[in-house]
């Protein structure tokens, strides 16, 4: 009988231990930023005399549209957020940045809170010029990516591109080969980046090994 009681006690103990381990086991992938419901419009206003501005409206907790204008422009420019990106993203106002180049155009930089993927949208105020989108942004909103405030940086899997948002001058550095990068899991391929106005340094995964590449650059 004692043996039976000991067996039952041991079984109950192992079941409780298993349950405890299960409840405290590894959680799913951590989000890049807080995905709390986006309710309020995100607003940016430049310091140029024409007061250029960019607004991101929200609907059903998601970004709904982008509009941009300036004082005296007349009709605002506007586009649907999902239409622009071709995908749905979750935004946090603390991970969205806007850079104004006078009243010529605005750069909108943001990261998806679920995947951390970086996006960069160039919004021209001239109605005859189309906006442009980069969906492989290396934004300094990501703590592993150090990028000078005046620069916008992105990749096409084989190279890293740098542009001065104020002047439009550009530079680039090649990785030496094309990498099979998944932009929704960028840190699995690009661990960290440091880009200044005269130097670019990256740590990337090449042939299953982490390697560092560095280059002095001239923006032109």
């Amino acid at each position: 009988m004692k043996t039976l009681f000991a067996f039952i006690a041991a079984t109950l103990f192992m079941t409780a231990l298993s349950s405890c381990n299960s409840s405290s086991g590894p959680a799913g992938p951590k989000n890049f930023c807080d995905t709390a419901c986006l309710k309020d419009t995100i607003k940016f206003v430049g310091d140029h005399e024409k007061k250029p501005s960019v607004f991101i409206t929200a609907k059903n907790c998601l970004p709904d549209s982008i509009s941009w204008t300036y004082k005296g422009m007349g009709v605002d420019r506007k586009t649907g957020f999902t239409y622009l990106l071709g995908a749905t993203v979750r935004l946090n106002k603390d991970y969205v940045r806007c850079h104004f180049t006078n009243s010529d155009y605005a750069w909108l930089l943001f990261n998806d809170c679920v995947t951390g993927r970086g996006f960069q949208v160039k919004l021209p105020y001239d109605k005859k010029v189309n906006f442009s989108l980069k969906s492989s942004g290396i934004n300094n909103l990501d703590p592993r990516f150090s990028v000078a405030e005046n620069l916008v940086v992105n990749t096409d899997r084989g190279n890293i591109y740098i542009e001065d948002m104020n002047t439009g001058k550009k530079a680039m550095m090649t990785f030496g080969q094309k990498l099979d990068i998944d932009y929704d899991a960028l840190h699995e391929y690009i661990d960290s980046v440091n880009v200044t106005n005269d130097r670019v340094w990256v740590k990337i995964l090449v042939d299953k090994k982490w390697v560092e590449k560095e280059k002095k650059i001239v923006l032109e």
Side-chain angles (χ1 to χ4, degrees), residues 17-79:
L17 181 61
S18 175
S19 175
C20 180
N21 287 340
S22 176
S23 63
S24 61
K30 184 179 179 181
N31 289 336
F32 177 79
C33 52
D34 189 350
T35 58
C37 179
L38 180 66
K39 297 179 180 179
D40 299 327
T41 297
I42 301 174
K43 305 176 183 179
F44 299 97
V45 179
D47 55 11
H48 186 270
E49 61 182 7
K50 291 185 178 180
K51 299 299 181 183
S53 59
V54 174
F55 299 86
I56 302 175
T57 61
K59 183 178 181 181
N60 298 326
C61 295
L62 298 173
D64 181 60
S65 66
I66 302 174
S67 61
W68 61 106
T69 189
Y70 59 71
K71 185 178 180 181
M73 180 174 159
V75 179
D76 297 357
R77 301 198 68 179
K78 186 175 182 179
T79 184

Side-chain angles (χ1 to χ4, degrees), residues 6-7 20 48 62 73 76 81 94 100 108 113 125 133 153 159-160 179-180 182 192-193 203-204 206 214:
F7 175 77
C20 180
H48 186 270
L62 298 173
M73 180 174 159
D76 297 357
F81 209 91
D94 295 328
F100 294 95
L108 190 63
C113 279
Y125 286 93
L133 167 69
V153 178
N159 307 279
I160 187 167
L179 307 179
D180 188 23
D182 177 358
S192 47
V193 169
K203 183 177 180 181
I204 56 177
V206 179
E214 182 178 3

